[in-house]
Amino acid sequence: MTHPTLEMYNYHVWANGVIIDRLSELPQEIYHKDIQSGFSSVSKVLSHIYLTDYSWFEIISGKGMNEAMASADELREHVETKSIEEMKKLFIEISEQYKAFLNDQEDIEKLIVVDNPYAGLLETSISETILHIVTHGSYHRGNIATMLRHMGHTSVMQDFGLYLYAK
């Protein structure tokens, strides 16, 4: 049986794919269109999800949070200008890195210490970090769904229950 955290990560990968596929079906200009929302465009939300996944991968791989955030900041402008097709490739690549890392882990409950420059030290596990990544992605895919509605388009269901049926 798959560890529940790994199953949740698989859901995250699936849900990212579902929303990316939906965005690929819509008129191209929707992806980078400026709108009034928490983020100024769908592309910036999707980039944020990716860059957060990227940062946390660096952290669970042993880098400090400051270093991981600096790496993500260096990528930000480059990632935000990518097309939806290019983003799909980036998400596939990062998910393959996560899956290889997680499959090599002898102990997914291994403790790590995160030194967050805004919140201080946190002792957490790889497992909890993965759950954070999943819930963070879910929250922001919800932002994308709302943004699409505001632009007159429908989103797509991406609930965990639907994932269970789909797999």
Side-chain angles (χ1 to χ4, degrees):
M1 183 172 157
T2 303
H3 189 285
T5 299
L6 298 178
E7 191 64 36
M8 289 303 293
Y9 184 74
N10 290 335
Y11 157 69
H12 176 67
V13 171
W14 173 84
N16 285 336
V18 166
I19 198 72
I20 288 169
D21 287 347
R22 175 62 182 137
L23 292 169
S24 297
E25 297 169 354
L26 297 172
Q28 234 178 7
E29 65 273 6
I30 293 297
Y31 185 58
H32 291 290
K33 182 178 181 179
D34 284 340
I35 63 169
Q36 292 287 339
S37 186
F39 286 83
S40 60
S41 69
V42 170
S43 63
K44 288 195 177 177
V45 181
L46 196 62
S47 296
H48 175 72
I49 296 168
Y50 171 79
L51 291 166
T52 300
D53 284 11
Y54 175 90
S55 295
W56 282 108
F57 182 77
E58 298 246 300
I59 293 165
I60 65 174
S61 297
K63 289 190 178 176
M65 184 173 246
N66 281 331
E67 186 180 2
M69 289 169 55
S71 294
D73 282 343
E74 288 176 21
L75 289 175
R76 183 171 322 284
E77 189 176 321
H78 177 69
V79 171
E80 287 178 351
T81 61
K82 294 231 178 256
S83 70
I84 192 65
E85 295 81 18
E86 292 169 315
M87 288 303 295
K88 184 173 187 168
K89 290 177 188 171
L90 287 177
F91 272 97
I92 290 168
E93 289 170 9
I94 195 79
S95 70
E96 288 171 355
Q97 291 174 324
Y98 265 99
K99 287 178 182 183
F101 176 85
L102 293 170
N103 286 332
D104 286 346
Q105 283 301 303
E106 292 177 17
D107 183 13
I108 195 166
E109 301 305 328
K110 175 183 169 187
L111 293 179
I112 60 173
V113 176
V114 178
D115 188 0
N116 185 318
Y118 307 106
L121 292 175
L122 173 67
E123 186 176 82
T124 188
S125 66
I126 293 172
S127 174
E128 287 175 330
T129 302
I130 297 301
L131 292 175
H132 165 66
I133 292 161
V134 173
T135 58
H136 175 267
S138 294
Y139 175 81
H140 287 299
R141 286 187 301 272
N143 292 146
I144 293 171
T146 300
M147 293 167 87
L148 291 177
R149 284 260 183 226
H150 284 252
M151 290 186 281
H153 298 278
T154 59
S155 185
V156 64
M157 289 182 54
Q158 47 193 292
D159 297 66
F160 180 69
L162 186 58
Y163 159 77
L164 292 174
Y165 280 102
K167 68 176 204 147

